[in-house]
Amino acid sequence: AEAVVLCHQGQALDLSARVTSVRQADMPALVAHATQLKTGSLMRLAALLGARAAGAPKERREALGRFGAELGLGLQMLDDWSGIKIDARRHKGIEDIKLHRPTWPWAWLAHSCDEVRYANLVRDARRVAIDFEAENLLLRIRTHLDSRVFESIQGHLHGALDRLRSALGTSDALEELQAEVARLEKAYG
């Protein structure tokens, strides 16, 4: 029940906040918090339920729960990244831009752009009314996000796997999990 409430709170935050009304300095924290609530808590729940169903002891369940939350964060980053960078998923990025959703690309832009450039992108987002305009803005945003963003997502996911490995040790199941994360990275990027 707690995870469902957190997911709903994250979804409410995601749907109610707008890029056009959030200060640049606040954007990264807002996106991270919404993602932790919406996606992180759901993946944490899935990992905890799987561990409980397998009869894992409390410390193992806790480690897997932390990993699930971090995996959820990384998967949301991949999903948002792919909506900007992958042509086949561009419709998702266009929708996010048209609805002024605070997504990871906006968080990354808030870190990497100076105040003027960021303000110009937000101003242009405010003016978007149709898909064509959203696609033009998406292409401009794409030019500001380079391969270091994808590398940071990979770093996040690999760090989560490393922390899980430190907590649980090496196993065939962990190697299979690492292969699945690599497959997801490839599918999104």
Side-chain angles (χ1 to χ4, degrees):
E2 179 183 325
V4 170
V5 168
L6 292 173
C7 287
H8 284 305
Q9 289 172 342
Q11 188 67 23
L13 185 56
D14 186 51
L15 294 175
S16 64
R18 294 288 169 256
V19 166
T20 54
S21 62
V22 176
R23 292 179 331 126
Q24 180 178 354
D26 296 333
M27 185 61 68
L30 170 73
V31 172
H33 188 64
T35 301
Q36 288 166 349
L37 290 170
K38 181 177 74 168
T39 314
S41 61
L42 184 62
M43 293 299 291
R44 180 179 184 279
L45 175 64
L48 287 171
L49 290 175
R52 184 171 291 261
K58 182 179 181 180
E59 352 174 291
R60 189 169 284 253
R61 288 193 314 262
E62 289 173 357
L64 287 164
R66 285 189 302 274
F67 172 77
E70 289 185 75
L71 179 63
L73 193 73
L75 292 177
Q76 187 65 58
M77 289 177 183
L78 280 173
D79 187 60
D80 289 354
W81 165 258
S82 70
I84 297 292
K85 284 293 200 177
I86 308 300
D87 287 337
R89 295 198 28 89
R90 190 170 23 198
H91 65 282
K92 164 112 170 42
I94 289 170
E95 177 183 294
D96 288 343
I97 288 171
K98 281 177 58 179
L99 297 174
H100 304 148
R101 287 187 182 135
T103 58
W104 280 101
W106 285 106
W108 297 319
L109 289 169
H111 273 301
S112 65
C113 290
D114 61 47
E115 289 179 23
V116 172
R117 182 172 290 151
Y118 186 83
N120 287 337
L121 290 168
V122 170
R123 178 201 64 215
D124 293 346
R126 200 175 273 119
R127 295 176 179 165
V128 166
I130 60 174
D131 284 0
F132 176 76
E133 293 167 337
E135 185 163 6
N136 283 337
L137 182 56
L138 180 143
L139 294 173
R140 284 183 47 219
I141 289 171
R142 182 187 281 191
T143 65
H144 293 291
L145 300 176
D146 60 24
S147 62
R148 289 176 294 183
V149 169
F150 187 70
E151 291 166 7
S152 74
I153 298 169
Q154 288 179 310
H156 174 85
L157 292 168
H158 294 193
L161 283 164
D162 289 344
R163 286 183 288 282
L164 184 61
R165 188 175 289 108
S166 292
L168 303 182
T170 303
S171 69
D172 289 343
L174 195 54
E175 297 308 313
E176 288 177 35
L177 183 59
Q178 184 171 345
E180 182 61 20
V181 168
R183 186 193 69 73
L184 287 168
E185 288 174 348
K186 187 175 180 180
Y188 277 101

